[in-house]
Amino acid sequence: MKTLFLCLVSIFSLTSSIQAQLSGTVKDHQGHPLPYASIYSKQSTLGTSSNDKGYFSLDLPAGKDDLIIQYIGYETKVIAVDITDKPHSIGDIQLKEQSVNLSEITVTANAEDPAYEIIRKVMEKRRYYLEQINSYHCRSYIKNKIRMEDMPESFMGQSTGDLGGLLDSIGRGILYLSETESELYYQRPGKFKEILISSRVSGNDQGFGFNKASDLDFSLYETHTTFGRPILSPVAPGAFGYYDYRLIGSFPDQDGHLVYKIALIPKRGEDPVYQGHLYVAGEYWCISQAELQLNAAAMKQPGLDNIQIKQVNIKIEQPDYWKTISQNIEFQGGLLGFRISGSFAAVFSSFELDPELPDNFFGNDVFLAQAEALTRDSLYWSNIRPIPLTKEEKLDYLKKD
């Protein structure tokens, strides 16, 4: 009996460890790819983002699951999947633009926009969501890319050429490309420890990417986030003095709960505040998604013209534990005739709340690298990379490596 039990345990362990790659392409109703869509398993916190061309791949354990596909401004789609031990493509996934409904909202007699009352409720829960999780551990992946978009033919009397083969014939191309995979640990208040598992920099086999998961795992419940200078959160104390709010409408999420879409409008052009939209989950009064922009006047950062931020938060554990699973930051700028663009794409997955850690785990070492972090080969990366490389990125690695 004991032998039979051990055999069954071994079989179940083996079955649960079987994973297969699920892939597809996220597009809009006109067939255009949707970059950096969020794709995750409903049964776990395993997830990924689509790449610049809308393509994604995700390793999931064998068994039945529901795949959730989200893109800000579009209806969420849920697809039932049956994962076997073989790779499977689900082809093109078309998302419809999100229609919003104003019929659920009652306009008050004093004609204040209903968005203000919704934001007040989020502000009341702000401290709760900041402090509800004492500690957590998760897996993170970050891809950082910087491209040259345009440049002068000469600089300080010297021909710029193609920058040593980095650029194409019209002066465009990838200047920098890196990927990092880390284990991220957090303990309240504000303690982070990051262990780098692997790092890859195009053209530099001894290079550490300057991607830190702790820098991209920021919360809008904090009073400020720093982009050049501290930017005031739209749900921070005192935000009503800097923001106007307008309710665009509401729509049901995949579970039938109302989500409110709220426009953020700066009161003054040069204040350090965001523009864009917040999506508030009405049952929880928390931020489920954010689509934000910062212009040069708000940041006052020389060389940066604008930044766009897309953040997706999901409930990782009952009853109301929410965390960011994807954070995408794109930027454009220029100086002295040079024009660049760039992006940070971050995926957070496999969350574990209140992990058992030694008492002295959070010490002076906040960033450590495993000895083999720089030795991972391309096969390793192709197996663990949650955001597939685009054709341009593949060619950049081939050319520079």
Side-chain angles (χ1 to χ4, degrees), residues 187-350:
Q187 185 181 69
R188 190 167 65 87
K191 294 181 180 179
F192 282 99
K193 186 168 186 175
E194 186 170 348
I195 300 176
L196 185 68
I197 300 171
S198 52
S199 176
R200 189 180 188 192
V201 179
S202 183
N204 184 355
D205 59 5
Q206 293 299 313
F208 283 100
F210 52 85
N211 313 328
K212 290 186 65 178
S214 54
D215 291 339
L216 292 179
D217 187 23
F218 62 83
S219 171
L220 290 171
Y221 299 120
E222 297 283 357
T223 302
H224 295 93
T225 47
T226 300
F227 290 95
R229 61 173 173 161
I231 307 297
L232 183 70
S233 168
V235 298
F240 284 163
Y242 293 84
Y243 288 93
D244 286 325
Y245 305 86
R246 181 164 58 89
L247 180 65
I248 304 299
S250 65
F251 56 89
D253 66 10
Q254 66 270 15
D255 296 319
H257 304 306
L258 277 184
V259 175
Y260 300 101
K261 181 179 181 181
I262 296 174
L264 306 176
I265 306 162
K267 285 183 178 292
R268 293 166 292 274
E270 295 190 358
D271 281 346
V273 296
Y274 296 104
Q275 302 177 54
H277 298 93
L278 286 186
Y279 295 77
V280 175
E283 182 181 359
Y284 305 97
W285 304 114
C286 68
I287 300 170
S288 62
Q289 299 179 84
E291 186 177 31
L292 308 172
Q293 299 90 41
L294 288 168
N295 58 27
M299 293 181 290
K300 294 191 182 302
Q301 184 75 359
L304 269 182
D305 294 340
N306 56 76
I307 291 178
Q308 303 88 44
I309 303 164
K310 288 185 178 181
Q311 183 185 87
V312 175
N313 306 304
I314 67 168
K315 186 167 57 177
I316 61 169
E317 191 171 300
Q318 297 290 352
D320 57 359
Y321 291 90
W322 292 68
K323 279 299 296 175
T324 300
I325 62 161
S326 70
Q327 186 103 261
N328 296 291
I329 301 174
E330 299 183 5
F331 58 89
Q332 295 80 37
L335 207 60
L336 301 174
F338 294 87
R339 298 293 306 168
I340 65 166
S341 67
S343 63
F344 288 89
V347 175
F348 303 96
S349 62
S350 302

Side-chain angles (χ1 to χ4, degrees), residues 36 52 140-147 174-182 196 198-213 216 331 342-347 367 373-374 381 384-390 392-394 396-397 400-401:
Y36 304 119
D52 295 5
S140 75
Y141 164 85
I142 300 172
K143 177 167 65 176
N144 175 214
K145 178 170 63 177
I146 300 174
R147 297 185 80 256
I174 295 177
L175 298 176
Y176 178 84
L177 174 63
S178 71
E179 300 172 276
T180 55
E181 179 196 17
S182 302
L196 185 68
S198 52
S199 176
R200 189 180 188 192
V201 179
S202 183
N204 184 355
D205 59 5
Q206 293 299 313
F208 283 100
F210 52 85
N211 313 328
K212 290 186 65 178
L216 292 179
F331 58 89
S343 63
F344 288 89
V347 175
F367 188 86
L374 296 179
W381 277 100
I384 65 93
R385 178 185 290 115
I387 304 177
L389 296 177
T390 63
E392 181 188 43
E393 292 163 352
K394 290 178 182 178
D396 190 72
Y397 272 129
K400 292 177 183 175
D401 289 354

Side-chain angles (χ1 to χ4, degrees), residues 98-119:
Q98 183 67 64
S99 58
V100 294
N101 185 0
L102 281 170
S103 63
E104 302 290 335
I105 309 302
T106 301
V107 179
T108 58
N110 62 8
E112 179 186 69
D113 194 290
Y116 285 85
E117 184 59 28
I118 295 170
I119 292 296

